[in-house]
Amino acid sequence: MKLHGYYRSSTSYRLRIALELKALEYESVPVNLLKGEQKGEAFRGRNPFATVPMLEAGGRDRAQSMALIEWLDEAYPDAPLLPSTPEDRYTARELTYAIATELHAPLNLPVLKFLKEEYGKSQDEVGKWYRHWLAKTLVPVEARLAQLGSGDFLFDTPGIFEVVLLPQLYNARRFEYDLGNSPHMTRIETACLALETFQRAHPDNQPDSPENGPEKV
């Protein structure tokens, strides 16, 4: 497998976690979003969405992180990312898709660039936008976790919810979102980051991270 992605792209981060939890070997192929490499003719010809991640697997190029995660769970059923019972699968999906569907669209890089370039918004204004939409979804996610009495993970082991939660909290910290009132999410985050699987998937440990080379992006 070859994973085409960007080190701090939340969707690329999701897929790295999923691959690590399933103990699947893959080669990282960096795509620099800030330089627009995903918009190049060669990449767009393979992935019409011109987005990351793109996974070369099973004889084809595959896009869209949530579809990829579910495909991985079906194609490689060991270490499942979804729980075994319908009720637990519903709970995992409710929380996972709240983050994946409500937050990615208004907070991804093209939207933030559009706010700056087309509407002349400052970085402070973009940050305010980012934190507003984070709160709209993360506050009820935290409330649901409190209702469920979640522990270190949503269920016994990390799964699809943690796959999606950890990258969003990484970005929340980048944009100075206050997680002080989110004890359940931050407890899950701490428990996940203590695991080698999550450490290997972390943006700081990717080949295109500025932490691993002289080039700043």
Side-chain angles (χ1 to χ4, degrees):
M1 293 186 189
K2 290 186 178 181
L3 174 58
H4 300 252
Y6 182 58
Y7 77 103
R8 70 182 184 192
S9 151
S10 61
T11 50
S12 300
Y13 190 2
R14 288 175 191 170
L15 201 59
R16 291 195 303 267
I17 297 172
L19 288 164
E20 292 288 350
L21 288 175
K22 287 189 162 289
L24 295 172
E25 293 186 4
Y26 64 96
E27 175 187 346
S28 290
V29 182
V31 178
N32 193 317
L33 301 186
L34 300 185
K35 294 181 179 179
E37 291 176 355
Q38 77 281 12
K39 300 177 183 177
E41 183 177 345
F43 190 86
R44 188 183 289 272
R46 298 176 61 183
N47 174 12
F49 297 101
T51 57
V52 294
M54 180 178 77
L55 186 69
E56 292 182 54
R60 61 184 288 189
D61 298 324
R62 302 172 186 272
Q64 299 296 338
S65 65
M66 297 310 297
L68 277 164
I69 290 165
E70 295 208 25
W71 174 77
L72 285 174
D73 226 20
E74 294 171 356
Y76 301 91
D78 289 346
L81 299 174
L82 280 163
S84 60
T85 69
E87 279 302 308
D88 286 351
R89 286 198 298 273
Y90 167 78
T91 297
R93 285 176 170 131
E94 179 190 57
L95 292 166
T96 297
Y97 285 105
I99 294 172
T101 64
E102 294 179 12
L103 289 181
H104 183 67
L107 302 184
N108 66 12
L109 182 61
V111 170
L112 303 185
K113 289 180 67 176
F114 190 80
L115 288 172
K116 285 185 174 182
E117 295 171 3
E118 297 296 325
Y119 290 101
K121 298 300 182 182
S122 67
Q123 185 60 42
D124 285 345
E125 289 172 313
V126 170
K128 183 177 180 180
W129 164 279
Y130 204 103
R131 291 186 292 274
H132 168 81
W133 293 109
L134 281 175
K136 182 179 180 296
T137 294
L138 293 187
V139 168
V141 167
E142 175 67 22
R144 179 66 88 201
L145 290 171
Q147 289 177 345
L148 294 167
S150 64
D152 284 350
F153 309 114
L154 179 58
F155 296 108
D156 293 337
T157 59
I160 193 170
F161 172 64
E162 288 79 9
V163 163
V164 171
L165 175 67
L166 266 286
Q168 196 60 70
L169 295 186
Y170 172 83
N171 281 343
R173 294 182 187 282
R174 284 182 55 222
F175 282 85
E176 300 179 339
Y177 177 78
D178 184 5
L179 289 164
N181 293 319
S182 306
H184 293 82
M185 286 190 291
T186 54
R187 182 173 60 250
I188 291 171
E189 179 189 38
T190 298
C192 287
L193 291 177
L195 302 175
E196 290 186 6
T197 48
F198 282 84
Q199 293 167 15
R200 288 193 294 267
H202 194 278
D204 290 349
N205 295 323
Q206 303 317 302
D208 54 332
S209 168
E211 299 290 327
N212 295 321
E215 182 180 4
K216 301 295 182 182
V217 293

